[in-house]
Amino acid sequence: EKFFERFGKRVMEGYGLTETSPVVSVNLPDSVPDRPDVTQQTLYRLGSVGKMAPGIGAEIRNPETNEKLTIYDTGMLWLRGPNIFEGYLNDPGRTVEVLHDGWLKTGDIGRLDEDGFLYIEGRLSRFSKIGGEMVPHEVVEQKIIGALGLEGSERRIAICGVPDEAKGEALLLLSDQPIEMEKLRSELNKAKVPNLWIPKRSIVIENIPVLASGKLDVRRCQELATQNL
């Protein structure tokens, strides 16, 4: 929205994987109807990664049972179509893990709306199951960044899941600076973030680990979180 306000152009998000050759879905500019009495189907929806490309099927399934879920439910994204790869080279074990009866288990958590737009919530590895609810680390991070005014190119925080006797898991906030947790909780409450999504503890580390690609080094973050339990 900020990009549109400044430049007058929409950012058309899409989604794909190497295993899907690579396009799965994409937003497109809405076409202008030839006549004013013609209603055309919308091709763009803010926050989504668009509609599925022709010939591609999608299902949202329970990450633990693989049971198919309904529209609006969030779960594991499975894909099927002529663009799905045949398997990993010389790695049959890994291939068996992701390919089942022609369907590809993407490892991504998402949902579909009533018009077929796909929304990606994050990787399964970046979710915590707290009191039976799947809590997305990346969404929580964005809420915290907004609440603390930490927008920018440099990584300042990261969320990790740690064991919790009462709810199975709890969120731990890694930060490169001290965080006033009561102030953070107050700001997140104002933003209507669920209490279950608000970390109760934070630890200060020198730098948030990132990979050469610039992406968060999830494994190293988890190691640091575990060391500070």
Side-chain angles (χ1 to χ4, degrees):
E1 290 180 340
K2 291 181 179 179
F3 185 91
F4 179 75
E5 290 173 2
R6 181 170 181 179
F7 299 103
K9 299 291 184 181
R10 294 285 185 194
V11 175
M12 301 292 174
E13 287 189 87
Y15 169 74
L17 303 164
T18 302
E19 293 87 346
T20 59
S21 309
V23 177
V24 171
S25 64
V26 65
N27 278 290
L28 296 170
D30 287 328
S31 58
V32 179
D34 296 330
R35 304 195 316 269
D37 60 330
V38 174
T39 301
Q40 292 189 311
Q41 195 174 31
T42 182
L43 303 175
Y44 169 84
R45 185 154 294 166
L46 182 65
S48 80
V49 291
K51 293 184 177 182
M52 312 305 295
I56 301 177
E59 287 186 356
I60 304 297
R61 302 183 187 179
N62 184 301
E64 296 179 344
T65 66
N66 289 335
E67 178 185 0
K68 185 178 178 180
L69 302 177
T70 60
I71 288 179
Y72 301 116
D73 285 332
T74 297
M76 177 66 67
L77 174 64
W78 290 73
L79 299 169
R80 181 173 64 181
N83 61 321
I84 302 300
F85 81 144
E86 296 180 354
Y88 297 107
L89 182 64
N90 300 325
D91 198 343
R94 189 179 174 199
T95 298
V96 170
E97 290 179 0
V98 300
L99 289 179
H100 300 270
D101 299 324
W103 287 89
L104 170 69
K105 181 180 181 180
T106 65
D108 288 321
I109 299 295
R111 59 184 173 86
L112 293 162
D113 68 15
E114 72 280 4
D115 294 320
F117 285 93
L118 175 64
Y119 300 79
I120 299 297
E121 307 288 356
R123 295 290 293 176
L124 179 62
S125 60
R126 299 228 61 214
F127 276 73
S128 287
K129 190 172 184 180
I130 303 176
E133 180 178 337
M134 298 294 287
V135 179
H137 295 181
E138 290 171 297
V139 176
V140 174
E141 287 169 353
Q142 289 305 311
K143 296 292 185 182
I144 293 174
I145 288 170
L148 298 179
L150 298 177
E151 292 88 350
S153 58
E154 186 178 350
R155 264 274 183 183
R156 307 296 301 276
I157 63 159
I159 288 290
C160 292
V162 294
D164 181 80
E165 290 185 2
K167 295 186 179 294
E169 271 191 279
L171 298 184
L172 178 67
L173 173 62
L174 305 183
S175 174
D176 65 357
Q177 60 184 343
I179 300 291
E180 294 183 35
M181 295 305 291
E182 286 302 318
K183 178 182 177 181
L184 174 61
R185 173 173 287 276
S186 176
E187 292 298 320
L188 292 177
N189 283 333
K190 291 178 184 177
K192 301 187 184 304
V193 175
N195 286 329
L196 206 62
W197 292 26
I198 300 176
K200 296 180 180 179
R201 290 183 54 220
S202 69
I203 60 172
V204 178
I205 59 177
E206 185 174 353
N207 293 296
I208 301 298
V210 294
L211 302 171
S213 62
K215 294 182 178 180
L216 184 69
D217 188 340
V218 177
R219 181 175 297 179
R220 180 56 183 154
C221 284
Q222 196 63 52
E223 290 175 353
L224 291 170
T226 302
Q227 291 170 9
N228 285 273
L229 288 179

